[in-house]
Amino acid sequence: MASFKRSDGRKVNELRPMTAKVGVVPNADGSALFAFGDTIAIAAVYGPRLLHPQHMQDPKQATLRVNYDLLSFSVYDRKKPGPSRRSQEISKMTEYALSPVLDLKEFPSTVIDVQIYILQADAGTRTAGINAASMALAHAGLPMKNLVCSVAIGKQDTTVVADLTKEEEDFHEGEGATDFPLAKIANSDQFTLVQLDGNIATELVAEVLEMANETCAEVYEVQKKALKAGATQ
Amino acid sequence: MAVKKISVQGSEEPQKKRYIVVPGEVIVSGEDYLPSDGTRRQGADIVAAKYGLAEEAGMVIRVIPLTGAFVPRRGNQVIGRVSNITMNGWVIDIDWASNAFLPIDESPHFINKNEMDQFLAIGDLMLGKIEGITARGIDLSFDGPGLGKLEGGFSFKVSPNRVPRVIGREGSMINLIKDNTKCDVAVGQNGWCWVYSEDMEGMLKARKAIEMITEKPFVEGLTEKMESWFQENK
Amino acid sequence: MMGMDISKNTFEAMKTLVEQGKRFDGRALTEYRAVEISYDVSKAAEGSARVRMGKTEVIAGVKLTLDKPYPDSPEKGNLLVSGDLLPLASPRYEVGPPKFDAIELPRLVDRVIRESHVIELDKLVVKAGEKVWTVIIDVYPLNDDGNLVDAAVLAAIAALKQAKMPGVTEAGFPDYKHRTKQAVPLAKELVPLSVTLFKLGNALFIDPTREEAEAAEVKCNFGLTKQGKKHMIHSAQKTGAKPFTQKELETAAILIGEKYDELYDKLKKVL
């Protein structure tokens, strides 16, 4: 298992080089960029703000509205503009991943809009999106329990690896590839995103979760550093 | 586990320690500390509930937000634009998630219901005080000095978190601006500012000064720096 | 932030200001903000660029696909310009069906590029009547602080001028991972750019901030190239109800040439 060679030479639990920055969209209440290698996501938060139409307002709490999408030219096969089923599903998954850390009850009847766009895609787009959105929510000054950190753990044949590239997602040998994106609340044991595509033996789940813990902790350090640097801009 | 302190300039009161924190970060540990705005207690720790500047003032810990939207509180002064007129008052846009409402009784003199736009018409600006925040919306009043319709001049927006700097301790900064530009200046906690003078140059200078004050991240001795700037730009 | 409609006070003050030839940020009425052009926004695009004008930021990407030609032009490639006012870029954009501004942006960008004939569509034919290349340009504002169309066209042209043709597989499909070194067929000497003129009161100005653009009573977009010493106008569109006077349009005709030259100089440095 330890001798598995990844196509880009990384160790099994090694993340791609990460980039993170806040304040990339000056008009927004909070914004951030987060990249895993060649996968680049930007997120902007507007809110709390007015939710139209009125009948959609929830008198008990703020509505968290996430819109995730790929820009047309972020992928080699151009994506037609407009929401796809995939992007609608990821938007919802991202909402589930982020809402547990937000205190939505503090702003009833309002909406908190989170806009996530992928500028360049090389797998792990939803995880980069969650990481960017989490920073953007903090940057927007919203009350939050903690940051949310996300990594796409996966498998190449029978080896568990962290942060797959597109090439690795297309791996066909042996058991093939499995994509297991996860997100968790930093410094906790709470997982807020759980998705899986592929085939993976149940015995490996514990190892996957452990790798998620380690790598999400690394993501947290990058997010924290970017937020702290952002305050002096 | 204590947070690694990144010391930040700009503290005008040296006994307060300040550093940037992210949500969930432990600020201090100990039962004797008191969690204030933007923080909460988590077991023995005081933890940041928001991104911002953590401040220890004696045993009281709070986090001052540096970024993000204005959140209205009772007693806030806000500048708003009239967006609609109803039978009972004026609907005011204060750049928040719900509209604000100024009852007809708040007008300084008696007006008929069909003359309401002679006092405040759609598009006019006003400086009001938030009397209450309910599920219905935000109630405004003109109960206070300087509150009322804002005539002439122009308005512009700055980051709401920087508004305290524009006012300064006991109004020192806002008075500096007024004296050096000969302008009427009003600043709402919602980040909207208004300036008026018969002299356009004075108004432009006031806006530039306010934008400079709010755009710098942290500056020690901001008041002195602005004093010099006004001297250099007479 | 700044979701409020403009107040009467500010509108009147801005009108007085521009009629005196001044602006809030101290610029002259015909002065551009700092313009930055950079490349490589996305590796997945055949070409991509980012333009900043002050705080306005727009990105553009060029993709090429193999398609059937349009029935009325069997020996020409296709051009498609698309774009979206992403709700990310401004508090004024709402999630939901597009308003006119959103529809207008890609259409204006399309017209500037299409009418200039900068893309040699007849050189994009693989098999006449059956297979041609479609050039697809997508423009996206990332931060709206005014003057989106001019910034978008500049980004689109920068991306086009740098774009390379995809390879083709043996089966005849585009091979995006193995790009050629061949440029997209363009009339090299043509550089179409957009100059939009805004009017408030009786003052004309360019490159507005969002605040200025919202106060403007009418605007007119022009798409231009320079051929030899002459500036050629390829497209124009007035948006807004207030009229332009004849004198203003005559002044505009001269001004847009001067502004074209300035923008072109900035682009030339990075081409």
Side-chain angles (χ1 to χ4, degrees):
Chain A
M1 197 168 70
S3 60
F4 183 85
K5 275 190 158 59
R6 296 178 76 169
S7 53
D8 59 3
R10 278 185 289 152
K11 298 205 261 304
V12 297
N13 60 352
E14 193 180 334
L15 298 172
R16 287 175 282 181
M18 293 176 271
T19 313
K21 196 171 176 209
V22 295
V24 296
V25 179
N27 279 346
D29 293 319
S31 60
L33 176 149
F34 187 93
F36 278 121
D38 282 342
T39 292
I40 305 174
I42 51 171
V45 169
Y46 286 96
R49 63 176 177 175
L50 189 55
L51 177 55
H52 283 298
Q54 204 172 346
H55 65 81
M56 283 181 63
Q57 292 175 7
D58 182 349
K60 294 194 296 296
Q61 61 179 54
T63 301
L64 177 64
R65 184 163 63 181
V66 176
N67 184 44
Y68 158 104
D69 209 352
L70 297 172
L71 292 190
S72 298
F73 51 80
S74 64
V75 283
Y76 285 95
D77 276 305
R78 177 180 175 265
K79 180 196 168 282
K80 280 203 173 69
S84 62
R85 293 271 153 89
R86 175 184 178 271
S87 69
Q88 286 176 322
E89 184 182 74
I90 294 177
S91 300
K92 207 64 189 159
M93 295 301 113
T94 303
E95 183 200 315
Y96 295 147
L98 297 170
S99 62
V101 296
L102 293 169
D103 189 2
L104 296 174
K105 290 194 167 31
E106 194 166 321
F107 308 110
S109 301
T110 69
V111 64
I112 295 171
D113 270 319
V114 179
Q115 304 283 338
I116 303 168
Y117 292 98
I118 305 300
L119 302 185
Q120 190 175 262
D122 186 13
T125 57
R126 79 197 64 192
T127 60
I130 289 171
N131 292 332
S134 168
M135 289 164 61
L137 286 165
H139 190 240
L142 293 167
M144 285 168 82
K145 293 194 182 66
N146 217 314
L147 297 179
V148 174
C149 315
S150 182
V151 175
I153 305 297
K155 196 168 64 65
Q156 304 273 273
D157 187 13
T158 54
T159 308
V160 173
V161 295
D163 187 25
L164 303 156
T165 58
K166 186 95 181 53
E167 193 178 333
E168 291 181 310
E169 272 185 351
D170 296 338
F171 185 82
H172 286 309
E173 289 165 39
E175 279 181 22
T178 296
D179 185 22
F180 202 156
L182 294 159
K184 59 189 290 260
I185 300 177
N187 302 313
S188 82
D189 63 352
Q190 315 276 307
F191 282 86
T192 58
L193 170 79
V194 180
Q195 282 189 293
L196 191 154
D197 277 301
N199 60 337
I200 180 166
T202 49
E203 291 103 56
L204 288 177
V205 170
E207 186 182 335
V208 165
L209 295 175
E210 207 29 64
M211 196 177 286
N213 276 329
E214 286 169 18
T215 52
C216 283
E218 288 176 48
V219 168
Y220 175 72
E221 290 303 317
V222 169
Q223 291 171 311
K224 190 167 75 162
K225 190 166 170 204
L227 279 163
K228 294 198 184 208
T232 52
Q233 278 156 19
Chain B
M1 189 174 55
V3 68
K4 182 172 172 200
K5 291 170 190 175
I6 298 170
S7 79
V8 159
Q9 289 188 313
S11 176
E12 304 208 290
E13 293 162 34
Q15 70 273 23
K16 287 187 187 173
K17 289 184 282 178
R18 297 166 156 194
Y19 28 86
I20 308 296
V21 290
V22 302
E25 196 173 348
V26 175
I27 305 173
V28 287
S29 226
E31 300 289 337
D32 295 336
Y33 287 102
L34 291 167
S36 182
D37 292 334
T39 67
R40 59 190 164 86
R41 180 167 277 294
Q42 194 173 275
D45 300 331
I46 305 286
V47 151
K50 287 189 188 182
Y51 169 62
L53 200 52
E55 183 190 78
E56 288 179 45
M59 299 307 281
V60 179
I61 315 293
R62 65 176 179 143
V63 171
I64 306 163
L66 301 165
T67 49
F70 153 75
V71 178
R73 299 258 131 81
R74 212 157 147 261
N76 280 167
Q77 285 197 356
V78 291
I79 290 179
R81 175 191 176 276
V82 178
S83 59
N84 205 358
I85 304 178
T86 70
M87 278 236 300
N88 305 309
W90 297 268
V91 179
I92 314 279
D93 180 358
I94 59 166
D95 208 359
W96 166 241
S98 62
N99 280 322
F101 186 75
L102 181 74
I104 191 171
D105 296 335
E106 289 298 317
S107 84
H109 43 266
F110 176 79
I111 43 171
N112 276 320
K113 289 193 185 221
N114 52 7
E115 289 170 347
M116 287 169 74
D117 61 354
Q118 288 180 25
F119 171 49
L120 279 172
I122 293 178
D124 278 340
L125 289 173
M126 58 107 249
L127 174 69
K129 183 169 92 162
I130 297 180
E131 289 294 340
I133 300 175
T134 66
R136 233 177 359 99
I138 295 177
D139 296 315
L140 298 176
S141 78
F142 281 158
D143 182 17
L147 302 183
K149 180 176 179 179
L150 297 171
E151 301 261 21
F154 58 80
S155 58
F156 56 97
K157 179 140 183 193
V158 298
S159 173
N161 298 292
R162 304 273 162 97
V163 163
R165 284 194 208 174
V166 180
I167 297 172
R169 225 176 329 155
E170 283 162 36
S172 55
M173 188 65 91
I174 196 171
N175 289 331
L176 183 71
I177 299 167
K178 286 178 182 175
D179 293 341
N180 279 283
T181 60
K182 305 279 180 278
C183 281
D184 256 343
V185 179
V187 181
Q189 253 103 35
N190 57 347
W192 281 90
C193 304
W194 171 85
V195 296
Y196 171 73
S197 163
E198 277 175 13
D199 173 25
M200 178 60 83
E201 285 304 321
M203 289 197 280
L204 293 179
K205 198 192 285 191
R207 174 169 175 161
K208 189 148 170 66
I210 292 172
E211 285 176 344
M212 278 175 62
I213 291 164
T214 54
E215 273 159 26
K216 291 187 196 306
F218 303 102
V219 186
E220 238 169 37
L222 191 55
T223 317
E224 288 77 35
K225 287 210 159 67
M226 290 313 297
E227 277 167 359
S228 321
W229 184 81
F230 278 121
Q231 289 308 314
E232 288 158 28
N233 289 280
K234 271 203 185 310
Chain C
M1 273 188 73
M2 221 152 184
M4 224 194 272
D5 285 345
I6 193 168
S7 61
K8 283 201 296 188
N9 315 45
T10 305
F11 178 78
E12 291 303 325
M14 284 184 69
K15 193 153 48 147
T16 307
L17 199 57
V18 291
E19 285 179 346
Q20 287 175 11
K22 297 187 198 156
R23 302 165 88 157
F24 284 129
D25 59 8
R27 279 187 291 154
L29 299 184
T30 57
E31 192 181 332
Y32 281 107
R33 291 172 284 181
V35 176
E36 283 170 43
I37 307 165
S38 59
Y39 290 104
D40 299 324
V41 175
S42 172
K43 289 181 182 174
E46 276 62 88
S48 62
R50 163 185 275 120
V51 165
R52 290 196 178 103
M53 279 184 177
K55 290 191 193 148
T56 287
E57 183 171 335
V58 181
I59 55 177
V62 176
K63 291 293 297 169
L64 285 117
T65 57
L66 279 173
D67 301 293
K68 282 194 166 36
Y70 288 134
D72 55 356
S73 55
E75 301 198 4
K76 286 205 170 127
N78 304 321
L79 167 64
L80 170 63
V81 178
S82 148
D84 233 334
L85 285 187
L86 301 180
L88 155 119
S90 173
R92 307 289 253 152
Y93 304 164
E94 284 154 21
V95 179
K99 295 213 194 115
F100 184 69
D101 281 355
I103 298 163
E104 195 188 43
L105 173 69
R107 287 186 61 82
L108 287 177
V109 174
D110 178 299
R111 209 171 286 133
V112 170
I113 297 173
R114 193 182 300 274
E115 296 302 323
S116 70
H117 297 290
V118 63
I119 303 174
E120 294 177 329
L121 293 174
D122 54 348
K123 297 213 173 94
L124 286 169
V125 178
V126 174
K127 188 162 184 199
E130 283 183 35
K131 206 190 256 187
V132 301
W133 288 102
T134 302
V135 178
I136 309 178
I137 304 176
D138 287 299
V139 293
Y140 291 108
L142 295 185
N143 193 65
D144 179 2
D145 193 18
N147 209 28
L148 291 184
V149 177
D150 293 1
V153 169
L154 187 55
I157 298 302
L160 249 187
K161 293 279 180 185
Q162 186 227 17
K164 298 286 181 267
M165 299 296 292
V168 181
T169 64
E170 274 190 30
F173 293 106
D175 185 356
Y176 296 114
K177 295 257 172 79
H178 299 100
R179 235 158 249 154
T180 68
K181 288 198 167 39
Q182 199 196 337
V184 172
L186 301 174
K188 287 192 181 38
E189 68 290 355
L190 287 183
V191 181
L193 293 174
S194 160
V195 180
T196 308
L197 275 189
F198 294 78
K199 175 172 158 172
L200 174 60
N202 55 29
L204 297 179
F205 57 98
I206 58 141
D207 194 21
T209 57
R210 182 156 56 93
E211 181 185 38
E212 292 175 326
E214 284 179 10
E217 294 171 295
V218 65
K219 59 181 177 172
C220 195
N221 173 262
F222 296 93
L224 303 142
T225 57
K226 191 166 189 178
Q227 298 177 30
K229 288 201 160 64
K230 280 203 273 196
H231 292 102
M232 303 296 285
I233 305 175
H234 302 285
S235 61
Q237 179 152 305
K238 164 184 170 292
T239 303
K242 185 163 177 171
F244 281 99
T245 65
Q246 182 168 337
K247 189 134 203 310
E248 283 170 343
L249 291 172
E250 285 166 359
T251 306
I254 302 169
L255 181 59
I256 56 180
E258 290 167 10
K259 294 300 117 187
Y260 173 93
D261 289 340
E262 274 183 53
L263 272 185
Y264 175 74
D265 283 342
K266 293 183 211 281
L267 180 58
K268 204 165 67 158
K269 294 198 176 106
V270 295
L271 274 179

